[in-house]
Amino acid sequence: MTELRTGRLLLRGWRESDLAPWAAMNADPQVREHFPGVLGRAESDASVAGFQRDLQRRGWGWWAVEVRATGEFIGFAGLDPVEDEMPVDGVE
């Protein structure tokens, strides 16, 4: 699996240990302010499963992000194909 490194961060594949902090982020209304709504644990876990499938299939997508110095999981970042109903195509 492709990993991306900066001086401070590691974008990597998802781990079982990421599920609980990811679910906590997704359950926080402030974190999800610009998303359709908060997610329950099952929905949050399902999102990770989808991210993992995309990373395996394409080699790119939404990576888990950790602080290299501490190993702390801090969220996600990555690339995603533009949705089909959009007037343009590509990757954002």
Side-chain angles (χ1 to χ4, degrees):
M1 166 147 337
T2 302
E3 291 186 342
L4 304 172
R5 295 175 185 269
T6 70
R8 193 172 67 86
L9 302 174
L10 171 63
L11 281 68
R12 58 162 173 76
W14 292 79
R15 299 178 185 151
E16 185 76 23
S17 61
D18 299 329
L19 294 177
W22 177 244
M25 288 178 186
N26 283 311
D28 184 326
Q30 189 173 4
V31 171
R32 299 281 304 176
E33 179 180 357
H34 300 288
F35 290 92
V38 297
L39 300 180
R41 179 62 190 255
E43 294 168 305
S44 183
D45 289 356
S47 71
V48 170
F51 299 156
Q52 290 172 315
R53 276 192 306 274
D54 290 342
L55 286 169
Q56 288 295 325
R57 184 173 45 90
R58 297 188 303 234
W60 55 271
W62 293 107
W63 288 272
V65 179
E66 76 175 46
V67 177
R68 288 180 61 187
T70 64
E72 177 188 8
F73 169 82
I74 59 169
F76 77 136
L79 303 167
D80 205 28
V82 174
E83 295 185 20
D84 291 337
E85 62 273 2
M86 297 300 290
V88 297
D89 62 357
V91 174
E92 61 178 339

